[in-house]
Amino acid sequence: MFINTDSYRMLGLRFQALRNDSIHGNYSRQILIQNKLKALQSYFIETANLFEEHESGNTSLFTNGQLRTSHYENINIPAILTKQDKKSYFGFGAQYNIKEATLGYHNDLIDASLRMNIGDAKANVDAEFSLWKDKKWNPRFEAELDADVALASANLQAKVGGSKLNATVDARGAVGALYADATCVLSMEEQTIKAGVGACALRGEASIAFNIFGVKVTLTGQGSLGSAEANFEYSHRNREWIIGSKLGFIAGLGFKIRVNY
């Protein structure tokens, strides 16, 4: 059986085009939308690669990985020149895997995909800035950075049910992981810097969400074994200073509940 992989690739390119569109509105929501579009883009392109490998006679589960990059930007030049309060945004992401595999299962009630990587490395930068407030010079810059490297990683995503009543699962894990993240906020009213680095033998996160007639409950758990991590925080705002650090060793465990209605 031959699959029309060109259709899969075209869908992947369409999602990529949507990600490259200008960002408007709420920044955090737009970043979430960008990440979802990125996942859809990767799914369709990787599925096309997998089908082509099988149809060419190569039945190996894992295929050669590739470097993937993405970016978006909305530098609001008119707002800058006319001293408006509107923000500008930009971001960049990159991911590389030595070997990768994608499996999927879909029917009327279940939609599931499993992605596995060997030699997984990725990095993302998201930033926003503005120069004016109430027509006065008041620059503000915010940025978030995260980077991860792992010997092997896996990501499982599944949805069971319909539009009114359903449950979704998102689980990911890594073996031999190194990771770092940082947050920076610089303005005349606030200076905040947060940074963290870590390494662990095993690292994982799993969340399950229940959607019942518009009410969504999400349970998330995080854990690590054989880990060592360090965090630093400095903040100055509203005539208040905060400085602190945290060290972790051997194991870590976290849990949270979120309700949207």
Side-chain angles (χ1 to χ4, degrees):
M1 179 181 68
F2 291 93
I3 305 297
N4 185 4
T5 56
D6 289 339
S7 297
Y8 279 76
R9 292 189 185 281
M10 183 60 68
L11 285 171
L13 292 174
R14 287 178 180 176
F15 284 118
Q16 182 180 10
L18 289 173
R19 293 181 60 234
N20 291 335
D21 284 347
S22 297
I23 292 181
H24 302 283
N26 183 273
Y27 174 65
S28 60
R29 179 173 177 80
Q30 289 299 327
I31 294 301
L32 177 62
I33 293 173
Q34 289 278 348
N35 291 335
K36 295 297 184 183
L37 290 174
K38 179 180 178 181
L40 288 169
Q41 171 197 342
S42 299
Y43 170 77
F44 282 106
I45 292 179
E46 290 164 8
T47 300
N49 292 338
L50 186 60
F51 281 138
E52 289 174 356
E53 288 286 340
H54 282 279
E55 290 179 352
S56 66
N58 184 355
T59 58
S60 174
L61 177 63
F62 283 91
T63 60
N64 291 330
Q66 56 182 308
L67 175 64
R68 300 181 181 87
T69 61
S70 61
H71 67 90
Y72 66 90
E73 57 277 322
N74 178 23
I75 309 302
N76 200 329
I77 301 297
I80 295 175
L81 295 178
T82 56
K83 300 183 179 182
Q84 298 182 46
D85 296 355
K86 295 181 180 179
K87 297 178 180 179
S88 297
Y89 311 95
F90 63 90
F92 175 80
Q95 182 173 7
Y96 176 74
N97 308 305
I98 298 175
K99 292 287 185 178
E100 61 186 18
T102 302
L103 301 174
Y105 179 80
H106 312 279
N107 62 28
D108 293 340
L109 292 177
I110 300 175
D111 188 358
S113 63
L114 173 63
R115 178 177 175 178
M116 297 171 287
N117 300 313
I118 297 176
D120 183 26
K122 57 181 177 289
N124 293 281
V125 178
D126 298 296
E128 66 174 51
F129 70 91
S130 61
L131 300 179
W132 307 96
K133 184 177 181 180
D134 298 328
K135 299 291 185 177
K136 297 180 180 180
W137 176 255
N138 193 336
R140 180 180 178 87
F141 175 80
E142 297 184 33
E144 292 187 3
L145 163 69
D146 62 85
D148 298 87
V149 178
L151 296 177
S153 66
N155 187 3
L156 171 66
Q157 294 180 318
K159 178 180 178 181
V160 181
S163 59
K164 298 294 184 181
L165 184 64
N166 60 66
T168 58
V169 176
D170 188 343
R172 62 195 66 193
V175 177
L178 301 173
Y179 48 92
D181 59 77
T183 300
C184 176
V185 179
L186 298 176
S187 71
M188 299 178 68
E189 296 84 13
E190 177 184 358
Q191 301 84 46
T192 297
I193 297 176
K194 298 180 182 179
V197 295
C200 62
L202 297 173
R203 185 187 188 198
E205 177 178 316
S207 65
I208 180 169
F210 300 94
N211 190 337
I212 305 174
F213 300 106
V215 178
K216 185 177 181 181
V217 180
T218 304
L219 311 176
T220 303
Q222 298 173 319
S224 63
L225 290 175
S227 61
E229 60 181 0
N231 293 275
F232 171 80
E233 175 181 358
Y234 164 83
S235 180
H236 174 221
R237 59 180 177 179
N238 298 327
R239 301 179 64 182
E240 178 182 69
W241 292 82
I242 299 176
I243 186 168
S245 63
K246 181 177 69 175
L247 298 175
F249 189 62
I250 301 300
L253 184 64
F255 184 82
K256 64 180 178 181
I257 301 175
R258 182 176 180 179
V259 179
N260 300 92
Y261 58 92

